[in-house]
Amino acid sequence: MLIFMDSFDHYTTAAQGEGKWTTFGATIVPGRTGNGISGSALSFPSKTLNEEYETLTMGIAYKTPGFANNPIKFTNAVLGPEFWLGHLGDGRLRFHWGVFGDGVNSSPTSWVMTANTWYYIEVTCFMTGGPPAHILASARINGAVVLTWDYTHH
């Protein structure tokens, strides 16, 4: 089931994004095809869904000048868990899961991202709040699986 879909290539102003996203917090910049967005870890589009979903998939075209951010983040607003795909600082990626300040990281990828290169990232996450809380996740970069994680928090 498709819950939400958007592309930033047709935006010419941030106000256009503010109509679809819970918070937009980004600026319009040239993208791969058409326009794109630029944001930071504290200022990036987020979408609050009106229901809880155990499984979500998100895909983005992604290019970064450095490795100090989290390209994809899911938050279960009712139960509290957060899950994201983040950088280690050297081009490798890892998953993080946390709830109310208690968190754990997956092992990192052996695959390494290159700065200033376009990638298509797709993350699928099955997340239950528990107890016990459970995460089953995978990350694909340009169609190839680079990271999987099956974690249960007791």
Side-chain angles (χ1 to χ4, degrees), residues 12-37:
T12 55
T13 67
Q16 292 169 307
E18 291 165 359
K20 288 183 163 182
W21 294 84
T22 307
T23 57
F24 192 69
T27 56
I28 306 300
V29 298
R32 264 170 71 164
T33 58
N35 286 330
I37 60 168

Short mmCIF file of all heavy atoms in Angstrom, two decimals, residues 12-37:
data_model
loop_
_atom_site.label_atom_id
_atom_site.label_comp_id
_atom_site.label_asym_id
_atom_site.label_seq_id
_atom_site.Cartn_x
_atom_site.Cartn_y
_atom_site.Cartn_z
N THR A 12 9.59 24.91 -6.73
CA THR A 12 10.40 26.10 -7.01
C THR A 12 10.55 26.97 -5.77
O THR A 12 11.41 27.82 -5.71
CB THR A 12 9.79 26.92 -8.16
OG1 THR A 12 8.43 27.23 -7.83
CG2 THR A 12 9.85 26.13 -9.46
N THR A 13 9.68 26.73 -4.76
CA THR A 13 9.77 27.44 -3.48
C THR A 13 9.54 26.45 -2.34
O THR A 13 8.87 25.44 -2.51
CB THR A 13 8.71 28.55 -3.37
OG1 THR A 13 7.41 27.96 -3.29
CG2 THR A 13 8.78 29.52 -4.54
N ALA A 14 10.08 26.77 -1.19
CA ALA A 14 9.89 25.92 -0.01
C ALA A 14 8.42 25.87 0.39
O ALA A 14 7.94 24.87 0.93
CB ALA A 14 10.74 26.42 1.14
N ALA A 15 7.66 26.92 0.10
CA ALA A 15 6.24 26.96 0.47
C ALA A 15 5.47 25.82 -0.19
O ALA A 15 4.50 25.31 0.38
CB ALA A 15 5.64 28.31 0.08
N GLN A 16 5.88 25.38 -1.37
CA GLN A 16 5.21 24.26 -2.02
C GLN A 16 5.37 22.97 -1.21
O GLN A 16 4.45 22.17 -1.13
CB GLN A 16 5.75 24.08 -3.43
CG GLN A 16 5.37 25.23 -4.35
CD GLN A 16 6.14 25.18 -5.65
OE1 GLN A 16 7.37 25.11 -5.67
NE2 GLN A 16 5.40 25.20 -6.75
N GLY A 17 6.52 22.76 -0.62
CA GLY A 17 6.76 21.59 0.22
C GLY A 17 6.02 21.65 1.53
O GLY A 17 5.60 20.63 2.07
N GLU A 18 5.85 22.85 2.05
CA GLU A 18 5.19 23.01 3.34
C GLU A 18 3.73 22.58 3.30
O GLU A 18 3.16 22.24 4.32
CB GLU A 18 5.32 24.46 3.80
CG GLU A 18 6.74 24.82 4.16
CD GLU A 18 6.98 26.32 4.28
OE1 GLU A 18 6.04 27.11 4.08
OE2 GLU A 18 8.14 26.69 4.56
N GLY A 19 3.15 22.51 2.12
CA GLY A 19 1.78 22.06 1.99
C GLY A 19 1.60 20.56 2.10
O GLY A 19 0.53 20.07 2.41
N LYS A 20 2.67 19.79 1.87
CA LYS A 20 2.58 18.33 1.89
C LYS A 20 3.26 17.70 3.11
O LYS A 20 2.92 16.60 3.50
CB LYS A 20 3.26 17.75 0.64
CG LYS A 20 2.51 17.96 -0.63
CD LYS A 20 3.26 17.28 -1.75
CE LYS A 20 2.42 17.08 -2.97
NZ LYS A 20 3.15 16.37 -4.02
N TRP A 21 4.24 18.37 3.65
CA TRP A 21 5.06 17.82 4.72
C TRP A 21 4.64 18.41 6.06
O TRP A 21 4.23 19.56 6.14
CB TRP A 21 6.54 18.11 4.46
CG TRP A 21 7.02 17.40 3.24
CD1 TRP A 21 6.90 17.81 1.95
CD2 TRP A 21 7.67 16.13 3.20
NE1 TRP A 21 7.44 16.88 1.10
CE2 TRP A 21 7.92 15.83 1.84
CE3 TRP A 21 8.05 15.23 4.18
CZ2 TRP A 21 8.54 14.66 1.44
CZ3 TRP A 21 8.68 14.06 3.78
CH2 TRP A 21 8.92 13.79 2.43
N THR A 22 4.81 17.66 7.15
CA THR A 22 4.51 18.16 8.48
C THR A 22 5.43 19.32 8.80
O THR A 22 5.00 20.36 9.27
CB THR A 22 4.66 17.04 9.52
OG1 THR A 22 3.86 15.92 9.10
CG2 THR A 22 4.21 17.50 10.89
N THR A 23 6.72 19.15 8.59
CA THR A 23 7.69 20.25 8.62
C THR A 23 8.55 20.11 7.39
O THR A 23 8.92 18.99 6.99
CB THR A 23 8.58 20.22 9.88
OG1 THR A 23 9.27 18.97 9.95
CG2 THR A 23 7.76 20.39 11.14
N PHE A 24 8.87 21.20 6.75
CA PHE A 24 9.66 21.14 5.52
C PHE A 24 11.11 21.49 5.79
O PHE A 24 12.00 20.72 5.53
CB PHE A 24 9.06 22.04 4.44
CG PHE A 24 9.66 21.78 3.08
CD1 PHE A 24 9.42 20.59 2.43
CD2 PHE A 24 10.48 22.72 2.48
CE1 PHE A 24 9.99 20.33 1.19
CE2 PHE A 24 11.04 22.47 1.24
CZ PHE A 24 10.79 21.28 0.59
N GLY A 25 11.40 22.66 6.34
CA GLY A 25 12.72 23.03 6.82
C GLY A 25 13.87 22.81 5.87
O GLY A 25 14.96 22.42 6.28
N ALA A 26 13.68 23.02 4.57
CA ALA A 26 14.75 22.82 3.61
C ALA A 26 14.70 23.94 2.58
O ALA A 26 13.72 24.67 2.49
CB ALA A 26 14.60 21.47 2.92
N THR A 27 15.78 24.08 1.84
CA THR A 27 15.82 25.06 0.76
C THR A 27 15.87 24.34 -0.58
O THR A 27 16.35 23.21 -0.67
CB THR A 27 17.04 25.99 0.89
OG1 THR A 27 18.22 25.18 0.94
CG2 THR A 27 16.98 26.81 2.16
N ILE A 28 15.36 24.99 -1.61
CA ILE A 28 15.34 24.42 -2.95
C ILE A 28 16.69 24.66 -3.61
O ILE A 28 17.20 25.78 -3.61
CB ILE A 28 14.20 25.06 -3.79
CG1 ILE A 28 12.86 24.93 -3.06
CG2 ILE A 28 14.15 24.45 -5.18
CD1 ILE A 28 12.41 23.52 -2.77
N VAL A 29 17.26 23.61 -4.17
CA VAL A 29 18.56 23.68 -4.87
C VAL A 29 18.47 22.84 -6.13
O VAL A 29 17.56 22.02 -6.28
CB VAL A 29 19.71 23.15 -3.97
CG1 VAL A 29 19.86 24.01 -2.72
CG2 VAL A 29 19.48 21.70 -3.59
N PRO A 30 19.42 23.00 -7.07
CA PRO A 30 19.42 22.12 -8.24
C PRO A 30 19.60 20.67 -7.82
O PRO A 30 20.41 20.35 -6.95
CB PRO A 30 20.62 22.61 -9.05
CG PRO A 30 20.86 24.00 -8.58
CD PRO A 30 20.45 24.02 -7.14
N GLY A 31 18.81 19.77 -8.42
CA GLY A 31 18.87 18.35 -8.09
C GLY A 31 19.36 17.53 -9.27
O GLY A 31 19.91 18.07 -10.23
N ARG A 32 19.17 16.23 -9.18
CA ARG A 32 19.58 15.32 -10.26
C ARG A 32 18.84 15.64 -11.55
O ARG A 32 19.42 15.72 -12.61
CB ARG A 32 19.28 13.88 -9.87
CG ARG A 32 20.44 13.18 -9.29
CD ARG A 32 20.04 11.85 -8.70
NE ARG A 32 19.71 10.87 -9.70
CZ ARG A 32 19.63 9.58 -9.43
NH1 ARG A 32 19.84 9.14 -8.21
NH2 ARG A 32 19.32 8.72 -10.36
N THR A 33 17.53 15.74 -11.45
CA THR A 33 16.69 16.11 -12.58
C THR A 33 15.69 17.12 -12.04
O THR A 33 14.89 16.81 -11.18
CB THR A 33 15.93 14.90 -13.17
OG1 THR A 33 15.15 14.33 -12.14
CG2 THR A 33 16.91 13.86 -13.70
N GLY A 34 15.77 18.33 -12.50
CA GLY A 34 14.92 19.37 -11.94
C GLY A 34 15.51 19.87 -10.64
O GLY A 34 16.72 19.89 -10.46
N ASN A 35 14.65 20.27 -9.72
CA ASN A 35 15.11 20.79 -8.45
C ASN A 35 15.23 19.70 -7.40
O ASN A 35 14.70 18.61 -7.55
CB ASN A 35 14.17 21.88 -7.94
CG ASN A 35 14.33 23.16 -8.71
OD1 ASN A 35 15.41 23.45 -9.20
ND2 ASN A 35 13.27 23.93 -8.83
N GLY A 36 15.93 20.01 -6.32
CA GLY A 36 16.07 19.14 -5.17
C GLY A 36 15.96 19.98 -3.93
O GLY A 36 15.54 21.13 -3.98
N ILE A 37 16.34 19.41 -2.80
CA ILE A 37 16.31 20.16 -1.55
C ILE A 37 17.64 20.03 -0.83
O ILE A 37 18.41 19.09 -1.05
CB ILE A 37 15.18 19.69 -0.62
CG1 ILE A 37 15.34 18.22 -0.26
CG2 ILE A 37 13.83 19.98 -1.23
CD1 ILE A 37 14.44 17.77 0.87
#
